[in-house]
Amino acid sequence: QVQLVESGGGLVQAGDSLRLSCAASGRTLSSYAVGWFRQAPGKEREFVARIGWSATDTYYANSVNGRFTISIDNAKNTVYLQMNSLKPEDTAVYYCAAGTILAVTSTMYQYWGQGTRVTVSS
């Protein structure tokens, strides 16, 4: 199994950028599909982005497409989520997850980090 730890969240203003990190240990992250999800208070967890076993195989939710970029650094065993042009509606706790099935549904991922909070002020 793999252990995941997110970091990089914080309080920013609308239009700012943040880079979230998902550091893995225990297993090589490149052998998993990795997804980013977010959950705002009172809302269900929603899909944000995912990367497949190939670094070029990426997919994004419509709400973040063109603003967010998911990538992997194999040397650091870390997946990143670069978030640009942040909006107040991006405010949420962001989680990374790893699984053996390439999917956009949270229930298809087996391993989860603890989350990192992103707050975007207007």
Side-chain angles (χ1 to χ4, degrees):
Q1 66 180 46
V2 62
Q3 295 80 43
L4 306 174
V5 178
E6 302 97 331
S7 63
L11 174 62
V12 298
Q13 295 182 339
D16 285 352
S17 297
L18 278 175
R19 189 181 72 166
L20 305 184
S21 298
C22 176
S25 61
R27 297 286 181 88
T28 300
L29 197 54
S30 61
S31 64
Y32 296 89
V34 180
W36 282 98
F37 296 81
R38 66 188 183 186
Q39 187 167 21
K43 296 185 178 181
E44 294 186 352
R45 191 167 299 181
E46 66 174 348
F47 168 78
V48 176
R50 67 100 174 117
I51 189 167
W53 293 272
S54 170
T56 60
D57 182 11
T58 59
Y59 185 74
Y60 302 90
N62 289 336
S63 59
V64 306
N65 191 33
R67 298 188 297 120
F68 291 10
T69 303
I70 188 170
S71 62
I72 186 170
D73 185 337
N74 288 321
K76 296 183 180 295
N77 205 26
T78 299
V79 167
Y80 301 97
L81 184 68
Q82 178 67 45
M83 306 186 296
N84 298 327
S85 302
L86 283 163
K87 304 175 180 179
E89 50 263 45
D90 295 319
T91 296
V93 175
Y94 284 71
Y95 301 88
C96 67
T100 55
I101 300 175
L102 189 62
V104 298
T105 304
S106 62
T107 55
M108 302 303 293
Y109 290 83
Q110 289 78 56
Y111 309 103
W112 292 81
Q114 83 290 347
T116 185
R117 188 167 69 179
V118 173
T119 302
V120 184
S121 63
S122 60

